[in-house]
Amino acid sequence: MWELQCLQIEKDSMIDITKIRNDFPILSREVYGKPLVYLDNAATTQKPKCVVDKIEQMYYTLNANIHRGVHFLSQQATDEHEAARVTIQKFIGAKSSDEIVFTRGATESINLIASTYCRAFCQPGDEIIVSAMEHHSNIVPWQLQEEISGVKLRVIPINDAGELLIEEFKKLINPRTKLVSVTHISNALGTVNDIEEIIRIAHENNVPVLIDAAQSVQHVALDVQKLDCDFLVFSAHKAYGPTGIGILYGKEEWLNKLPPYHGGGEMIASVSFEKTTFNVLPFKFEAGTPDFVGSTSMAAALDYISDIGLDNIAAYEDELLAYATEQLLTIDGLKIYGTAANKCSVVSFLVKDIHHYDMGMLLDKMGIAVRTGHHCTQPLMDRLKVDGTVRASFSFYNTKEEIDQLVAGIERVASMF
Ligand code: PMP
């Protein structure tokens, strides 16, 4: 029966699940003597062979420091690194590759904007709007700026389903609002926010918008020009790429107006003790030796998901989410946190009064990897009046059979309490 359903999904959504799972060697390993069921994709995704092959190829055949070398290896590595930037530009539909800044990840990208934007454009008492469902990485950098620049955080509230209250958002905007910084998809609830509407409202009031796409770039096709967002950030490791690298997209006119963030090599035009001048975009924001292994293997990951097709990925993952939601709700006493009308790839839940940590630990012993705790969204957990949840998050390499195993595992744990 399951095989039939899976084939049906495969047929409808063009996902070749057997081939895809073969691309991810880790998926065939066992933990505690049981087949691994990896449902922690919102924390990080597994890596296909082509990404690891690219890392190996770079170190074995192309390892040389880039941009400054005149020798063959350095120039070839530079070409690959800059070609990766163009791949990423095209992947998110940016106008120019100068708008693609390599950072260490979504967190560093947000810190970069918080620090440079507040330094350049904010006065004490100015306001930054975030939402109640933000990851700590889109809260704490702004709180640091509360101390440094005197800005104040304002928070868009949510309803009990975990949806942003757009009317409340409108009321928060005022002449002191300097930036809106919101997540596209909630890592804790799976809510897909209506960022088109948020951007439209903010722009009507001449306020720029930063989109945290850490949980969306791997699930839905994005086009920053159509969206018209001013900044967008994401991490490679959540999109099947390597850890330690990510992207800050910024409209050229904004990036040109912002001061540098880190100082060092690469980001300068000339240095003297009297006066230092800075490099052009995007290098102005890329101090130090660039992570050319990270950039090129990240591009390999984005090419991989582009080949599968983001529309195919979205359709398949939506089907998995619908199936998981339906099956989980058959479990006595299970409550889902986050019931927004528009959701993606994440189910957060608790079962009766079983602690999320106990549930996670016991599922782990059955080979099922889920996340437990506050998911770096403590203010959201406070709003939901829980100290944490169990979170299962899905990728296009997961199957309905794995969801059945999750459901059976939860039932087994529930029967122990
Ligand atoms: N934003 C969201 C919505 C996230 O889920 C995460 C990671 N969990 C981040 C930002 C931060 O990403 P990273 O730790 O890769 O910098």
Side-chain angles (χ1 to χ4, degrees), residues 2 5-6 9-10 12-17 20-21 310-322 345 394-402:
W2 171 79
Q5 283 165 337
C6 192
I9 294 181
E10 221 173 286
D12 292 348
S13 64
M14 316 291 286
I15 290 279
D16 183 347
I17 195 77
I20 283 171
R21 286 185 71 88
L310 272 156
D311 290 345
N312 294 328
I313 288 173
Y316 181 76
E317 290 178 347
D318 282 353
E319 187 116 20
L320 284 183
L321 177 67
S345 276
F394 311 110
S395 157
F396 56 77
Y397 48 56
N398 290 127
T399 63
K400 284 190 171 181
E401 188 184 43
E402 289 180 311

PDB file of all heavy atoms in Angstrom, residues 2 5-6 9-10 12-17 20-21 310-322 345 394-402:
ATOM      1  N   TRP A   2       1.861   1.232   0.967  1.00  0.00           N
ATOM      2  CA  TRP A   2       2.746   2.395   1.031  1.00  0.00           C
ATOM      3  C   TRP A   2       3.502   2.584  -0.283  1.00  0.00           C
ATOM      4  O   TRP A   2       3.630   3.682  -0.781  1.00  0.00           O
ATOM      5  CB  TRP A   2       3.738   2.258   2.198  1.00  0.00           C
ATOM      6  CG  TRP A   2       4.749   3.342   2.108  1.00  0.00           C
ATOM      7  CD1 TRP A   2       4.578   4.637   2.501  1.00  0.00           C
ATOM      8  CD2 TRP A   2       6.033   3.278   1.491  1.00  0.00           C
ATOM      9  NE1 TRP A   2       5.694   5.368   2.181  1.00  0.00           N
ATOM     10  CE2 TRP A   2       6.610   4.560   1.567  1.00  0.00           C
ATOM     11  CE3 TRP A   2       6.783   2.261   0.891  1.00  0.00           C
ATOM     12  CZ2 TRP A   2       7.867   4.848   1.076  1.00  0.00           C
ATOM     13  CZ3 TRP A   2       8.039   2.550   0.409  1.00  0.00           C
ATOM     14  CH2 TRP A   2       8.565   3.822   0.500  1.00  0.00           C
ATOM     15  N   GLN A   5       1.448   4.247  -2.761  1.00  0.00           N
ATOM     16  CA  GLN A   5       1.305   5.693  -2.505  1.00  0.00           C
ATOM     17  C   GLN A   5       2.575   6.428  -2.913  1.00  0.00           C
ATOM     18  O   GLN A   5       2.546   7.499  -3.491  1.00  0.00           O
ATOM     19  CB  GLN A   5       1.051   5.945  -1.013  1.00  0.00           C
ATOM     20  CG  GLN A   5      -0.363   5.648  -0.602  1.00  0.00           C
ATOM     21  CD  GLN A   5      -0.469   5.556   0.913  1.00  0.00           C
ATOM     22  OE1 GLN A   5       0.507   5.299   1.601  1.00  0.00           O
ATOM     23  NE2 GLN A   5      -1.666   5.747   1.413  1.00  0.00           N
ATOM     24  N   CYS A   6       3.707   5.805  -2.584  1.00  0.00           N
ATOM     25  CA  CYS A   6       4.982   6.460  -2.873  1.00  0.00           C
ATOM     26  C   CYS A   6       5.183   6.600  -4.377  1.00  0.00           C
ATOM     27  O   CYS A   6       5.596   7.643  -4.863  1.00  0.00           O
ATOM     28  CB  CYS A   6       6.100   5.648  -2.241  1.00  0.00           C
ATOM     29  SG  CYS A   6       7.622   6.537  -2.233  1.00  0.00           S
ATOM     30  N   ILE A   9       3.145   9.474  -5.560  1.00  0.00           N
ATOM     31  CA  ILE A   9       3.799  10.767  -5.330  1.00  0.00           C
ATOM     32  C   ILE A   9       4.886  10.952  -6.376  1.00  0.00           C
ATOM     33  O   ILE A   9       4.999  11.996  -7.011  1.00  0.00           O
ATOM     34  CB  ILE A   9       4.451  10.835  -3.937  1.00  0.00           C
ATOM     35  CG1 ILE A   9       3.419  10.784  -2.841  1.00  0.00           C
ATOM     36  CG2 ILE A   9       5.249  12.126  -3.806  1.00  0.00           C
ATOM     37  CD1 ILE A   9       4.034  10.885  -1.461  1.00  0.00           C
ATOM     38  N   GLU A  10       5.674   9.877  -6.524  1.00  0.00           N
ATOM     39  CA  GLU A  10       6.792   9.942  -7.453  1.00  0.00           C
ATOM     40  C   GLU A  10       6.309  10.335  -8.847  1.00  0.00           C
ATOM     41  O   GLU A  10       6.863  11.203  -9.503  1.00  0.00           O
ATOM     42  CB  GLU A  10       7.397   8.545  -7.525  1.00  0.00           C
ATOM     43  CG  GLU A  10       8.894   8.502  -7.562  1.00  0.00           C
ATOM     44  CD  GLU A  10       9.348   7.072  -7.453  1.00  0.00           C
ATOM     45  OE1 GLU A  10       9.275   6.487  -6.373  1.00  0.00           O
ATOM     46  OE2 GLU A  10       9.726   6.553  -8.490  1.00  0.00           O
ATOM     47  N   ASP A  12       3.436  11.783  -9.695  1.00  0.00           N
ATOM     48  CA  ASP A  12       2.835  13.113  -9.769  1.00  0.00           C
ATOM     49  C   ASP A  12       3.888  14.208  -9.687  1.00  0.00           C
ATOM     50  O   ASP A  12       3.797  15.223 -10.331  1.00  0.00           O
ATOM     51  CB  ASP A  12       1.854  13.324  -8.609  1.00  0.00           C
ATOM     52  CG  ASP A  12       0.651  12.424  -8.763  1.00  0.00           C
ATOM     53  OD1 ASP A  12       0.504  11.853  -9.855  1.00  0.00           O
ATOM     54  OD2 ASP A  12      -0.104  12.282  -7.790  1.00  0.00           O
ATOM     55  N   SER A  13       4.892  14.008  -8.818  1.00  0.00           N
ATOM     56  CA  SER A  13       5.783  15.133  -8.536  1.00  0.00           C
ATOM     57  C   SER A  13       7.147  14.993  -9.181  1.00  0.00           C
ATOM     58  O   SER A  13       8.003  15.838  -8.981  1.00  0.00           O
ATOM     59  CB  SER A  13       5.948  15.286  -7.023  1.00  0.00           C
ATOM     60  OG  SER A  13       6.573  14.138  -6.507  1.00  0.00           O
ATOM     61  N   MET A  14       7.339  13.946  -9.943  1.00  0.00           N
ATOM     62  CA  MET A  14       8.594  13.754 -10.658  1.00  0.00           C
ATOM     63  C   MET A  14       9.787  13.524  -9.732  1.00  0.00           C
ATOM     64  O   MET A  14      10.919  13.781 -10.111  1.00  0.00           O
ATOM     65  CB  MET A  14       8.913  14.954 -11.574  1.00  0.00           C
ATOM     66  CG  MET A  14       7.782  15.484 -12.384  1.00  0.00           C
ATOM     67  SD  MET A  14       7.272  14.354 -13.668  1.00  0.00           S
ATOM     68  CE  MET A  14       8.612  14.542 -14.832  1.00  0.00           C
ATOM     69  N   ILE A  15       9.531  13.122  -8.503  1.00  0.00           N
ATOM     70  CA  ILE A  15      10.645  12.837  -7.594  1.00  0.00           C
ATOM     71  C   ILE A  15      11.006  11.365  -7.724  1.00  0.00           C
ATOM     72  O   ILE A  15      10.160  10.496  -7.494  1.00  0.00           O
ATOM     73  CB  ILE A  15      10.228  13.166  -6.132  1.00  0.00           C
ATOM     74  CG1 ILE A  15      10.081  14.667  -5.939  1.00  0.00           C
ATOM     75  CG2 ILE A  15      11.194  12.555  -5.135  1.00  0.00           C
ATOM     76  CD1 ILE A  15      11.344  15.442  -5.714  1.00  0.00           C
ATOM     77  N   ASP A  16      12.253  11.088  -8.103  1.00  0.00           N
ATOM     78  CA  ASP A  16      12.716   9.701  -8.205  1.00  0.00           C
ATOM     79  C   ASP A  16      13.390   9.348  -6.879  1.00  0.00           C
ATOM     80  O   ASP A  16      14.594   9.499  -6.701  1.00  0.00           O
ATOM     81  CB  ASP A  16      13.703   9.582  -9.378  1.00  0.00           C
ATOM     82  CG  ASP A  16      14.178   8.151  -9.586  1.00  0.00           C
ATOM     83  OD1 ASP A  16      13.948   7.322  -8.682  1.00  0.00           O
ATOM     84  OD2 ASP A  16      14.778   7.894 -10.636  1.00  0.00           O
ATOM     85  N   ILE A  17      12.557   8.870  -5.941  1.00  0.00           N
ATOM     86  CA  ILE A  17      13.018   8.727  -4.557  1.00  0.00           C
ATOM     87  C   ILE A  17      14.168   7.731  -4.426  1.00  0.00           C
ATOM     88  O   ILE A  17      15.094   7.940  -3.635  1.00  0.00           O
ATOM     89  CB  ILE A  17      11.817   8.369  -3.619  1.00  0.00           C
ATOM     90  CG1 ILE A  17      12.181   8.564  -2.150  1.00  0.00           C
ATOM     91  CG2 ILE A  17      11.306   6.988  -3.870  1.00  0.00           C
ATOM     92  CD1 ILE A  17      12.185   9.981  -1.717  1.00  0.00           C
ATOM     93  N   ILE A  20      17.264   9.477  -5.647  1.00  0.00           N
ATOM     94  CA  ILE A  20      17.635  10.550  -4.719  1.00  0.00           C
ATOM     95  C   ILE A  20      18.268   9.976  -3.454  1.00  0.00           C
ATOM     96  O   ILE A  20      19.310  10.435  -2.996  1.00  0.00           O
ATOM     97  CB  ILE A  20      16.402  11.420  -4.386  1.00  0.00           C
ATOM     98  CG1 ILE A  20      16.129  12.355  -5.562  1.00  0.00           C
ATOM     99  CG2 ILE A  20      16.606  12.225  -3.108  1.00  0.00           C
ATOM    100  CD1 ILE A  20      14.842  13.119  -5.492  1.00  0.00           C
ATOM    101  N   ARG A  21      17.654   8.943  -2.893  1.00  0.00           N
ATOM    102  CA  ARG A  21      18.218   8.400  -1.643  1.00  0.00           C
ATOM    103  C   ARG A  21      19.611   7.815  -1.878  1.00  0.00           C
ATOM    104  O   ARG A  21      20.464   7.870  -0.992  1.00  0.00           O
ATOM    105  CB  ARG A  21      17.254   7.380  -1.023  1.00  0.00           C
ATOM    106  CG  ARG A  21      16.053   8.081  -0.393  1.00  0.00           C
ATOM    107  CD  ARG A  21      15.139   7.127   0.325  1.00  0.00           C
ATOM    108  NE  ARG A  21      15.690   6.595   1.557  1.00  0.00           N
ATOM    109  CZ  ARG A  21      15.582   7.170   2.756  1.00  0.00           C
ATOM    110  NH1 ARG A  21      14.942   8.320   2.876  1.00  0.00           N
ATOM    111  NH2 ARG A  21      16.097   6.599   3.827  1.00  0.00           N
ATOM    112  N   LEU A 310      12.760  22.939  -7.946  1.00  0.00           N
ATOM    113  CA  LEU A 310      12.159  23.360  -6.673  1.00  0.00           C
ATOM    114  C   LEU A 310      10.648  23.165  -6.653  1.00  0.00           C
ATOM    115  O   LEU A 310      10.063  22.913  -5.602  1.00  0.00           O
ATOM    116  CB  LEU A 310      12.543  24.807  -6.365  1.00  0.00           C
ATOM    117  CG  LEU A 310      13.870  24.840  -5.600  1.00  0.00           C
ATOM    118  CD1 LEU A 310      14.584  26.152  -5.767  1.00  0.00           C
ATOM    119  CD2 LEU A 310      13.669  24.539  -4.116  1.00  0.00           C
ATOM    120  N   ASP A 311      10.013  23.229  -7.820  1.00  0.00           N
ATOM    121  CA  ASP A 311       8.563  23.001  -7.831  1.00  0.00           C
ATOM    122  C   ASP A 311       8.253  21.535  -7.511  1.00  0.00           C
ATOM    123  O   ASP A 311       7.296  21.228  -6.795  1.00  0.00           O
ATOM    124  CB  ASP A 311       7.974  23.400  -9.185  1.00  0.00           C
ATOM    125  CG  ASP A 311       8.004  24.917  -9.353  1.00  0.00           C
ATOM    126  OD1 ASP A 311       8.201  25.622  -8.336  1.00  0.00           O
ATOM    127  OD2 ASP A 311       7.856  25.391 -10.493  1.00  0.00           O
ATOM    128  N   ASN A 312       9.086  20.631  -8.055  1.00  0.00           N
ATOM    129  CA  ASN A 312       8.906  19.214  -7.727  1.00  0.00           C
ATOM    130  C   ASN A 312       9.161  18.966  -6.243  1.00  0.00           C
ATOM    131  O   ASN A 312       8.437  18.213  -5.585  1.00  0.00           O
ATOM    132  CB  ASN A 312       9.880  18.357  -8.542  1.00  0.00           C
ATOM    133  CG  ASN A 312       9.566  18.424 -10.019  1.00  0.00           C
ATOM    134  OD1 ASN A 312       8.415  18.574 -10.416  1.00  0.00           O
ATOM    135  ND2 ASN A 312      10.598  18.333 -10.847  1.00  0.00           N
ATOM    136  N   ILE A 313      10.209  19.619  -5.723  1.00  0.00           N
ATOM    137  CA  ILE A 313      10.539  19.466  -4.302  1.00  0.00           C
ATOM    138  C   ILE A 313       9.373  19.964  -3.446  1.00  0.00           C
ATOM    139  O   ILE A 313       8.920  19.284  -2.527  1.00  0.00           O
ATOM    140  CB  ILE A 313      11.844  20.248  -3.975  1.00  0.00           C
ATOM    141  CG1 ILE A 313      13.041  19.518  -4.599  1.00  0.00           C
ATOM    142  CG2 ILE A 313      12.025  20.424  -2.469  1.00  0.00           C
ATOM    143  CD1 ILE A 313      14.371  20.266  -4.494  1.00  0.00           C
ATOM    144  N   ALA A 314       8.870  21.154  -3.769  1.00  0.00           N
ATOM    145  CA  ALA A 314       7.779  21.740  -2.979  1.00  0.00           C
ATOM    146  C   ALA A 314       6.551  20.833  -3.008  1.00  0.00           C
ATOM    147  O   ALA A 314       5.928  20.579  -1.965  1.00  0.00           O
ATOM    148  CB  ALA A 314       7.450  23.135  -3.496  1.00  0.00           C
ATOM    149  N   ALA A 315       6.216  20.314  -4.188  1.00  0.00           N
ATOM    150  CA  ALA A 315       5.010  19.475  -4.298  1.00  0.00           C
ATOM    151  C   ALA A 315       5.170  18.202  -3.466  1.00  0.00           C
ATOM    152  O   ALA A 315       4.258  17.793  -2.730  1.00  0.00           O
ATOM    153  CB  ALA A 315       4.755  19.130  -5.765  1.00  0.00           C
ATOM    154  N   TYR A 316       6.330  17.577  -3.556  1.00  0.00           N
ATOM    155  CA  TYR A 316       6.568  16.323  -2.829  1.00  0.00           C
ATOM    156  C   TYR A 316       6.576  16.573  -1.317  1.00  0.00           C
ATOM    157  O   TYR A 316       5.963  15.839  -0.541  1.00  0.00           O
ATOM    158  CB  TYR A 316       7.901  15.718  -3.293  1.00  0.00           C
ATOM    159  CG  TYR A 316       8.235  14.405  -2.626  1.00  0.00           C
ATOM    160  CD1 TYR A 316       7.591  13.225  -3.011  1.00  0.00           C
ATOM    161  CD2 TYR A 316       9.192  14.339  -1.616  1.00  0.00           C
ATOM    162  CE1 TYR A 316       7.901  12.015  -2.398  1.00  0.00           C
ATOM    163  CE2 TYR A 316       9.501  13.135  -1.002  1.00  0.00           C
ATOM    164  CZ  TYR A 316       8.864  11.979  -1.397  1.00  0.00           C
ATOM    165  OH  TYR A 316       9.160  10.790  -0.782  1.00  0.00           O
ATOM    166  N   GLU A 317       7.273  17.627  -0.899  1.00  0.00           N
ATOM    167  CA  GLU A 317       7.354  17.908   0.541  1.00  0.00           C
ATOM    168  C   GLU A 317       5.989  18.312   1.103  1.00  0.00           C
ATOM    169  O   GLU A 317       5.666  17.987   2.248  1.00  0.00           O
ATOM    170  CB  GLU A 317       8.406  18.991   0.805  1.00  0.00           C
ATOM    171  CG  GLU A 317       9.819  18.485   0.555  1.00  0.00           C
ATOM    172  CD  GLU A 317      10.915  19.535   0.745  1.00  0.00           C
ATOM    173  OE1 GLU A 317      10.593  20.743   0.835  1.00  0.00           O
ATOM    174  OE2 GLU A 317      12.088  19.142   0.788  1.00  0.00           O
ATOM    175  N   ASP A 318       5.188  19.003   0.309  1.00  0.00           N
ATOM    176  CA  ASP A 318       3.824  19.344   0.765  1.00  0.00           C
ATOM    177  C   ASP A 318       3.018  18.076   1.004  1.00  0.00           C
ATOM    178  O   ASP A 318       2.246  17.966   1.958  1.00  0.00           O
ATOM    179  CB  ASP A 318       3.106  20.204  -0.285  1.00  0.00           C
ATOM    180  CG  ASP A 318       3.570  21.658  -0.226  1.00  0.00           C
ATOM    181  OD1 ASP A 318       4.332  21.996   0.702  1.00  0.00           O
ATOM    182  OD2 ASP A 318       3.189  22.437  -1.123  1.00  0.00           O
ATOM    183  N   GLU A 319       3.201  17.129   0.106  1.00  0.00           N
ATOM    184  CA  GLU A 319       2.490  15.852   0.232  1.00  0.00           C
ATOM    185  C   GLU A 319       2.952  15.117   1.507  1.00  0.00           C
ATOM    186  O   GLU A 319       2.139  14.556   2.241  1.00  0.00           O
ATOM    187  CB  GLU A 319       2.785  15.016  -1.018  1.00  0.00           C
ATOM    188  CG  GLU A 319       2.002  13.761  -1.086  1.00  0.00           C
ATOM    189  CD  GLU A 319       1.031  13.727  -2.266  1.00  0.00           C
ATOM    190  OE1 GLU A 319       1.232  14.492  -3.230  1.00  0.00           O
ATOM    191  OE2 GLU A 319       0.093  12.921  -2.189  1.00  0.00           O
ATOM    192  N   LEU A 320       4.254  15.144   1.755  1.00  0.00           N
ATOM    193  CA  LEU A 320       4.772  14.516   2.986  1.00  0.00           C
ATOM    194  C   LEU A 320       4.192  15.200   4.216  1.00  0.00           C
ATOM    195  O   LEU A 320       3.794  14.549   5.180  1.00  0.00           O
ATOM    196  CB  LEU A 320       6.300  14.613   3.046  1.00  0.00           C
ATOM    197  CG  LEU A 320       7.137  13.678   2.174  1.00  0.00           C
ATOM    198  CD1 LEU A 320       8.625  13.904   2.463  1.00  0.00           C
ATOM    199  CD2 LEU A 320       6.784  12.214   2.379  1.00  0.00           C
ATOM    200  N   LEU A 321       4.156  16.541   4.184  1.00  0.00           N
ATOM    201  CA  LEU A 321       3.645  17.295   5.336  1.00  0.00           C
ATOM    202  C   LEU A 321       2.170  16.961   5.580  1.00  0.00           C
ATOM    203  O   LEU A 321       1.758  16.732   6.726  1.00  0.00           O
ATOM    204  CB  LEU A 321       3.813  18.800   5.100  1.00  0.00           C
ATOM    205  CG  LEU A 321       3.249  19.697   6.206  1.00  0.00           C
ATOM    206  CD1 LEU A 321       4.037  19.542   7.500  1.00  0.00           C
ATOM    207  CD2 LEU A 321       3.240  21.166   5.781  1.00  0.00           C
ATOM    208  N   ALA A 322       1.394  16.905   4.504  1.00  0.00           N
ATOM    209  CA  ALA A 322      -0.040  16.604   4.654  1.00  0.00           C
ATOM    210  C   ALA A 322      -0.216  15.200   5.233  1.00  0.00           C
ATOM    211  O   ALA A 322      -1.016  14.978   6.151  1.00  0.00           O
ATOM    212  CB  ALA A 322      -0.736  16.723   3.296  1.00  0.00           C
ATOM    213  N   SER A 345       6.840  21.759   5.493  1.00  0.00           N
ATOM    214  CA  SER A 345       7.907  20.817   5.891  1.00  0.00           C
ATOM    215  C   SER A 345       8.228  20.610   7.365  1.00  0.00           C
ATOM    216  O   SER A 345       9.184  19.924   7.679  1.00  0.00           O
ATOM    217  CB  SER A 345       9.220  21.202   5.201  1.00  0.00           C
ATOM    218  OG  SER A 345       9.238  20.641   3.937  1.00  0.00           O
ATOM    219  N   PHE A 394      10.937  17.712   7.313  1.00  0.00           N
ATOM    220  CA  PHE A 394      11.042  16.797   6.172  1.00  0.00           C
ATOM    221  C   PHE A 394      11.835  17.379   5.007  1.00  0.00           C
ATOM    222  O   PHE A 394      11.864  18.586   4.791  1.00  0.00           O
ATOM    223  CB  PHE A 394       9.646  16.427   5.670  1.00  0.00           C
ATOM    224  CG  PHE A 394       8.736  15.983   6.780  1.00  0.00           C
ATOM    225  CD1 PHE A 394       7.670  16.774   7.188  1.00  0.00           C
ATOM    226  CD2 PHE A 394       8.992  14.796   7.455  1.00  0.00           C
ATOM    227  CE1 PHE A 394       6.858  16.380   8.246  1.00  0.00           C
ATOM    228  CE2 PHE A 394       8.193  14.398   8.510  1.00  0.00           C
ATOM    229  CZ  PHE A 394       7.123  15.190   8.902  1.00  0.00           C
ATOM    230  N   SER A 395      12.420  16.454   4.273  1.00  0.00           N
ATOM    231  CA  SER A 395      13.144  16.806   3.042  1.00  0.00           C
ATOM    232  C   SER A 395      12.589  15.940   1.916  1.00  0.00           C
ATOM    233  O   SER A 395      11.912  14.933   2.164  1.00  0.00           O
ATOM    234  CB  SER A 395      14.628  16.512   3.228  1.00  0.00           C
ATOM    235  OG  SER A 395      15.247  16.329   1.981  1.00  0.00           O
ATOM    236  N   PHE A 396      12.973  16.284   0.691  1.00  0.00           N
ATOM    237  CA  PHE A 396      12.512  15.491  -0.463  1.00  0.00           C
ATOM    238  C   PHE A 396      13.093  14.085  -0.470  1.00  0.00           C
ATOM    239  O   PHE A 396      12.665  13.254  -1.245  1.00  0.00           O
ATOM    240  CB  PHE A 396      12.828  16.218  -1.779  1.00  0.00           C
ATOM    241  CG  PHE A 396      14.289  16.560  -1.942  1.00  0.00           C
ATOM    242  CD1 PHE A 396      15.206  15.595  -2.301  1.00  0.00           C
ATOM    243  CD2 PHE A 396      14.737  17.851  -1.715  1.00  0.00           C
ATOM    244  CE1 PHE A 396      16.555  15.903  -2.421  1.00  0.00           C
ATOM    245  CE2 PHE A 396      16.085  18.173  -1.845  1.00  0.00           C
ATOM    246  CZ  PHE A 396      16.996  17.194  -2.200  1.00  0.00           C
ATOM    247  N   TYR A 397      14.088  13.800   0.398  1.00  0.00           N
ATOM    248  CA  TYR A 397      14.592  12.418   0.458  1.00  0.00           C
ATOM    249  C   TYR A 397      13.860  11.573   1.488  1.00  0.00           C
ATOM    250  O   TYR A 397      14.159  10.403   1.652  1.00  0.00           O
ATOM    251  CB  TYR A 397      16.112  12.349   0.659  1.00  0.00           C
ATOM    252  CG  TYR A 397      16.718  13.207   1.753  1.00  0.00           C
ATOM    253  CD1 TYR A 397      16.303  13.122   3.087  1.00  0.00           C
ATOM    254  CD2 TYR A 397      17.751  14.088   1.438  1.00  0.00           C
ATOM    255  CE1 TYR A 397      16.890  13.892   4.069  1.00  0.00           C
ATOM    256  CE2 TYR A 397      18.352  14.869   2.424  1.00  0.00           C
ATOM    257  CZ  TYR A 397      17.913  14.771   3.742  1.00  0.00           C
ATOM    258  OH  TYR A 397      18.488  15.533   4.717  1.00  0.00           O
ATOM    259  N   ASN A 398      12.926  12.177   2.232  1.00  0.00           N
ATOM    260  CA  ASN A 398      12.142  11.388   3.180  1.00  0.00           C
ATOM    261  C   ASN A 398      10.981  10.704   2.458  1.00  0.00           C
ATOM    262  O   ASN A 398      10.625  11.082   1.347  1.00  0.00           O
ATOM    263  CB  ASN A 398      11.610  12.278   4.300  1.00  0.00           C
ATOM    264  CG  ASN A 398      12.720  12.753   5.226  1.00  0.00           C
ATOM    265  OD1 ASN A 398      12.873  13.947   5.468  1.00  0.00           O
ATOM    266  ND2 ASN A 398      13.514  11.823   5.729  1.00  0.00           N
ATOM    267  N   THR A 399      10.435   9.699   3.144  1.00  0.00           N
ATOM    268  CA  THR A 399       9.354   8.920   2.525  1.00  0.00           C
ATOM    269  C   THR A 399       8.170   8.800   3.489  1.00  0.00           C
ATOM    270  O   THR A 399       8.328   9.013   4.702  1.00  0.00           O
ATOM    271  CB  THR A 399       9.838   7.490   2.199  1.00  0.00           C
ATOM    272  OG1 THR A 399      10.176   6.851   3.433  1.00  0.00           O
ATOM    273  CG2 THR A 399      11.039   7.502   1.266  1.00  0.00           C
ATOM    274  N   LYS A 400       7.045   8.376   2.921  1.00  0.00           N
ATOM    275  CA  LYS A 400       5.878   8.127   3.775  1.00  0.00           C
ATOM    276  C   LYS A 400       6.151   6.974   4.747  1.00  0.00           C
ATOM    277  O   LYS A 400       5.637   6.958   5.860  1.00  0.00           O
ATOM    278  CB  LYS A 400       4.668   7.795   2.907  1.00  0.00           C
ATOM    279  CG  LYS A 400       4.076   9.015   2.229  1.00  0.00           C
ATOM    280  CD  LYS A 400       2.764   8.654   1.587  1.00  0.00           C
ATOM    281  CE  LYS A 400       2.062   9.899   1.092  1.00  0.00           C
ATOM    282  NZ  LYS A 400       0.770   9.605   0.485  1.00  0.00           N
ATOM    283  N   GLU A 401       6.969   6.033   4.303  1.00  0.00           N
ATOM    284  CA  GLU A 401       7.302   4.907   5.185  1.00  0.00           C
ATOM    285  C   GLU A 401       8.026   5.417   6.434  1.00  0.00           C
ATOM    286  O   GLU A 401       7.782   4.937   7.546  1.00  0.00           O
ATOM    287  CB  GLU A 401       8.188   3.917   4.435  1.00  0.00           C
ATOM    288  CG  GLU A 401       8.410   2.635   5.203  1.00  0.00           C
ATOM    289  CD  GLU A 401       9.382   1.714   4.478  1.00  0.00           C
ATOM    290  OE1 GLU A 401      10.405   2.200   3.962  1.00  0.00           O
ATOM    291  OE2 GLU A 401       9.098   0.509   4.441  1.00  0.00           O
ATOM    292  N   GLU A 402       8.883   6.404   6.263  1.00  0.00           N
ATOM    293  CA  GLU A 402       9.592   6.962   7.425  1.00  0.00           C
ATOM    294  C   GLU A 402       8.603   7.680   8.351  1.00  0.00           C
ATOM    295  O   GLU A 402       8.759   7.646   9.573  1.00  0.00           O
ATOM    296  CB  GLU A 402      10.686   7.926   6.959  1.00  0.00           C
ATOM    297  CG  GLU A 402      11.854   7.195   6.305  1.00  0.00           C
ATOM    298  CD  GLU A 402      12.945   8.152   5.840  1.00  0.00           C
ATOM    299  OE1 GLU A 402      12.632   9.149   5.160  1.00  0.00           O
ATOM    300  OE2 GLU A 402      14.109   7.897   6.149  1.00  0.00           O
TER     301      GLU A 402
END
